[in-house]
Amino acid sequence: MGMADIAETLWNGFLKHNPSNPDWIDRDRFVLSNGHGSMLLYSLLHLSGYDLPMSELKNFRQLHSKTPGHPEYGYAPGVETTTGPLGQGLGNAVGMAIAERTLAAQYNKPGLNLIDHHTYTFLGDGCLMEGISHEVCSLAGTLKLGKLIAFYDDNGISIDGEVEGWFSDDTPARFESYGWHVISTVDGHDHAAIEAAIKEAQAQSDKPTLICCQTVIGFGSPNKEGKESSHGSPLGADEIALAREKLGWTHAPFDIPGDIYNGWDAKQAGAAAEAAWTEKLNDYRAKHAGDAAEFERRISGELPSDWNEKAAEYIASVDKAAEKIASRKASQNALNGFGPLLPELIGGSADLAGSNLTIWSGSKGIEETADGNYIYFGVREFGMAAILNGLVLHGGFKAYGATFLMFSEYARNALRMAALMKIPALYVFTHDSIGLGEDGPTHQPVEQAATLRLMPNMDVWRACDAVESAVSWKVAIERTDGPSSLLFSRQGLTPQPRNAEQLANVEKGGYVLVDSDNPQAILIATGSEVGLAVEACAKLADEGISARVVSMPSTDVFDRQSQSYRDSVLPESIPARVVIEAGVSGGWYKYAGSRSAMVCLDTFGESGPADQVFEHFGFTVANVIQKVKQVISI
């Protein structure tokens, strides 16, 4: 109710969109970052002509409705992103604005602008209190995202009451220091003032704009407007009656007069806007056929026609080279191998490019050239992940971002949002274990791989060598229904020999890497510990004990394989099993069973040289052999 006047002015006077085609690539993006106001968005979509009937509005917050309590991507047409965790919609909007500017620079030609739209976002006090707002707004100002326009709902109220007791920031000054254009003290209930502010914001080409709208929460409610009681609770029948009287609304609940529907209907204007754009696209096709074909391929989400062939060639070359390198270096090599095939690839690192090795030979920073493909995110892990989500949601890009695995903790909720939205964002996490040594337990991830695996719809890959690193990149790039986390080592990893079948089976997430006749035990390992398992298997053979080594780079992908395949890798006939991973053991009992032992790490790490730290925690051939003998004898 408090932002309804702003929404009406924006949607009826400025927003470029086509309700009949919510996925039109050159539409303006609208993000409701303060997602608890979801019914405002649903009302806007319904009134302007999206396929969101009144029956769905009546079904608000009910099971399986298209109108959940917070906007959820993929439910109602026109909902650009899932919002609710405050500040993340703002981060998504920054990503969308980066996508718009970059895609425009890559494809627009003189007189033929295929990409030319704004990103608008509504946000409240809660969004600005969240730390992510600093991360993303600081970067947006630095990048001079002139087509990003944010409306700050400055109503002075949050759930706990008047915010002045815990939020006294000088918000205009804060955003001016970021390099934003700020329009302060706009009456959020004055159509003319809002309209003038939007026009002023649209005139900015080199700065994002914050429009500070002074509003009254629960506007129109005689007894609850301006109070926290109107924040998240129904007004109640008596107060609704009084609000109707004050606002002059005489129609029955859910009864919208035809003239109001006609005034709001955006289908005709939207169809005309898209038709004009399609004419431009046809002209573009005639004059720039190659670029047009690539543009349309990218916005459709399809990979290049030669992707499978070229990717397979690259992986074969990695297998043939058999280099001992850190998997973080193998990841960079994969970027060099796959990057030239994928003009849609964009990404960067949270100030760790020299350690994450995310810069590849074709990288061009977007801060230097508008048509670039690399983003220096700075030390902004959470903001980076939310921005990546916005890039992917916009369309036209495969987006990746990197930091140390330990600092996936800072980005966690944005990773969860990507998994929830089923969008294929790519997260690169290096320094994946106690193998980073001297930096100590503050930087040594122990539980992070396991907790990422616990996240529904998040594919986690932990590669054991250069081949598995390349395959993990390939599979993640090909994935369309969810995000992937790629975990890479700091230390060098020994290349593992594979036959053609084993090479093909890497993509299945788990496979038999070393086998023997009538194995007595199975060693299950991931990442840097696979080499240890292979070495222990060889020593066991010298002692007359036969074993099988299973490399399990992705439990998530392995779990999606057929039961027959999984049984062929981990047959019930071999119940004696040892799991080897430099992380917590909890998630591994699913694969190990009751007759098993763990060479894992159920405590925090220690500071010291990596080889000494590994030995200290029992990651030795001798300890693995002892564990194998133990489970065989049970």
Side-chain angles (χ1 to χ4, degrees):
M1 294 167 75
M3 297 195 82
D5 289 313
I6 307 167
E8 189 280 328
T9 304
L10 175 64
W11 278 62
N12 279 332
F14 296 92
L15 197 71
K16 181 178 69 171
H17 61 127
N18 183 6
S20 299
N21 182 13
D23 297 325
W24 173 35
I25 189 65
D26 199 35
R27 68 191 183 278
D28 289 338
R29 299 325 193 255
F30 176 78
V31 175
L32 186 71
S33 188
N34 42 354
H36 50 274
S38 58
M39 183 47 79
L40 173 62
L41 176 55
Y42 302 145
S43 299
L44 295 168
L45 295 170
H46 171 77
L47 289 168
S48 57
Y50 286 79
D51 184 17
L52 191 66
M54 184 64 80
S55 59
E56 290 291 349
L57 272 65
K58 292 179 179 179
N59 211 24
F60 181 50
R61 288 190 167 187
Q62 301 307 302
L63 186 64
H64 303 312
S65 75
K66 293 184 178 180
T67 52
H70 291 89
E72 293 190 37
Y73 177 72
Y75 280 67
V79 174
E80 299 283 3
T81 181
T82 298
T83 55
L86 292 176
Q88 281 200 67
L90 178 55
N92 298 162
V94 172
M96 292 173 186
I98 292 172
E100 188 277 340
R101 189 176 71 176
T102 305
L103 201 59
Q106 290 175 348
Y107 286 101
N108 286 355
K109 309 290 184 183
L112 290 173
N113 288 346
L114 295 182
I115 298 295
D116 185 9
H117 55 262
H118 286 84
T119 301
Y120 300 100
T121 181
F122 282 7
L123 53 105
D125 291 303
C127 292
L128 294 184
M129 284 186 247
E130 290 285 0
I132 189 175
S133 69
H134 166 69
E135 295 184 27
V136 301
C137 293
S138 169
L139 185 60
T142 300
L143 293 177
K144 305 182 186 303
L145 300 176
K147 288 187 177 178
L148 174 62
I149 300 174
F151 296 83
Y152 167 33
D153 180 27
D154 183 11
N155 60 31
I157 295 291
S158 67
I159 289 177
D160 281 351
E162 297 182 6
V163 302
E164 61 184 11
W166 49 86
F167 185 55
S168 59
D169 299 14
D170 184 342
T171 297
R174 171 187 165 189
F175 275 76
E176 285 170 356
S177 76
Y178 292 152
W180 284 55
H181 176 67
V182 178
I183 307 172
S184 58
T185 61
V186 174
D187 184 343
H189 302 292
D190 182 334
H191 173 87
I194 300 164
E195 183 180 68
I198 295 172
K199 288 179 178 177
E200 181 180 335
Q202 288 182 338
Q204 299 297 315
S205 61
D206 61 350
K207 290 183 178 183
T209 296
L210 180 72
I211 302 175
C212 300
C213 299
Q214 296 180 324
T215 64
V216 178
I217 191 172
F219 181 78
S221 171
N223 298 306
K224 294 190 176 183
E225 67 178 12
K227 300 177 181 178
E228 63 268 24
S229 59
S230 66
H231 186 281
S233 301
L235 295 178
D238 293 342
E239 190 65 16
I240 288 173
L242 292 172
R244 286 171 170 276
E245 183 179 348
K246 181 174 180 178
L247 294 170
W249 186 257
T250 59
H251 303 280
F254 302 106
D255 179 18
I256 309 295
D259 59 337
I260 291 181
Y261 271 127
N262 291 336
W264 271 91
D265 193 341
K267 292 195 293 292
Q268 184 175 348
E274 185 173 354
W277 178 84
T278 301
E279 269 190 48
K280 192 182 300 182
L281 176 60
N282 289 334
D283 192 10
Y284 192 100
R285 287 179 181 133
K287 295 176 179 176
H288 310 283
D291 285 342
E294 269 294 273
F295 172 78
E296 293 185 86
R297 178 192 66 76
R298 284 178 57 174
I299 65 173
S300 74
E302 294 180 5
L303 290 170
S305 58
D306 61 351
W307 165 257
N308 287 332
E309 176 188 353
K310 297 294 186 182
E313 287 177 3
Y314 173 72
I315 291 170
S317 71
V318 174
D319 184 47
K320 184 177 179 180
E323 290 183 279
K324 180 178 180 178
I325 55 176
S327 56
R328 62 170 173 163
K329 179 60 180 175
S331 170
Q332 184 181 47
N333 291 347
L335 283 169
N336 278 310
F338 296 143
L341 308 176
L342 299 169
E344 58 264 51
L345 192 65
I346 189 170
S349 180
D351 199 53
L352 291 168
S355 293
N356 298 147
L357 303 184
T358 47
I359 296 177
W360 58 284
S361 59
S363 293
K364 297 187 299 181
I366 65 168
E367 83 289 349
E368 296 178 355
T369 175
D371 66 347
N373 59 5
Y374 193 84
I375 305 170
Y376 291 91
F377 285 103
V379 187
R380 300 180 175 99
E381 294 90 354
F382 191 6
M384 172 182 70
I387 287 169
L388 291 179
N389 292 347
L391 279 159
V392 175
L393 288 162
H394 178 279
F397 291 97
K398 291 281 183 183
Y400 68 92
T403 185
F404 290 173
L405 177 56
M406 186 65 246
F407 304 129
S408 65
E409 297 292 337
Y410 283 142
R412 175 73 58 160
N413 200 255
L415 271 61
R416 185 177 189 272
M417 294 291 276
L420 180 64
M421 290 190 282
K422 302 177 182 178
I423 60 172
L426 302 170
Y427 309 108
V428 176
F429 298 124
T430 67
H431 297 60
D432 68 346
S433 76
I434 56 174
L436 60 92
E438 291 88 347
D439 279 337
T442 61
H443 284 54
Q444 292 170 1
V446 173
E447 74 276 22
Q448 282 66 38
T451 56
L452 285 171
R453 290 176 185 135
L454 286 173
M455 190 178 293
N457 201 40
M458 172 66 76
D459 279 2
V460 181
W461 288 85
R462 186 167 185 251
C464 80
D465 64 2
V467 168
E468 287 191 0
S469 300
V471 171
S472 68
W473 263 109
K474 175 182 179 291
V475 176
I477 287 167
E478 292 172 349
R479 192 177 186 207
T480 60
D481 60 354
S484 299
S485 292
L486 310 181
L487 281 47
F488 297 119
S489 73
R490 177 192 185 190
Q491 70 274 27
L493 304 180
T494 301
Q496 300 299 327
R498 298 172 181 85
N499 59 34
E501 181 181 6
Q502 290 170 318
L503 185 59
N505 284 341
V506 176
E507 291 195 15
K508 296 181 179 179
Y511 63 103
V512 178
L513 178 63
V514 177
D515 211 358
S516 58
D517 293 333
N518 301 313
Q520 299 166 263
I522 300 176
L523 308 181
I524 307 171
T526 79
S528 49
E529 290 72 70
V530 170
L532 174 59
V534 170
E535 190 176 349
C537 183
K539 295 286 188 182
L540 285 163
D542 291 342
E543 297 184 30
I545 299 173
S546 60
R548 166 182 290 187
V549 175
V550 170
S551 178
M552 188 81 79
S554 178
T555 59
D556 309 283
V557 175
F558 180 73
D559 286 348
R560 294 199 293 270
Q561 305 307 311
S562 68
Q563 185 68 53
S564 61
Y565 177 77
R566 286 180 282 138
D567 287 345
S568 73
V569 176
L570 299 173
E572 291 184 3
S573 59
I574 313 175
R577 300 174 186 180
V578 174
V579 173
I580 314 168
E581 184 175 61
V584 295
S585 62
W588 284 109
Y589 289 96
K590 173 180 178 180
Y591 307 97
S594 58
R595 188 177 164 186
S596 62
M598 300 287 163
V599 180
C600 293
L601 192 68
D602 288 313
T603 182
F604 294 116
E606 294 285 349
S607 179
D611 56 346
Q612 295 178 26
V613 175
F614 273 118
E615 183 176 2
H616 172 75
F617 286 106
F619 292 94
T620 64
V621 170
N623 188 41
V624 172
I625 290 174
Q626 179 186 349
K627 297 291 186 182
V628 170
K629 291 178 178 179
Q630 174 187 323
V631 295
I632 288 175
S633 65
I634 295 175

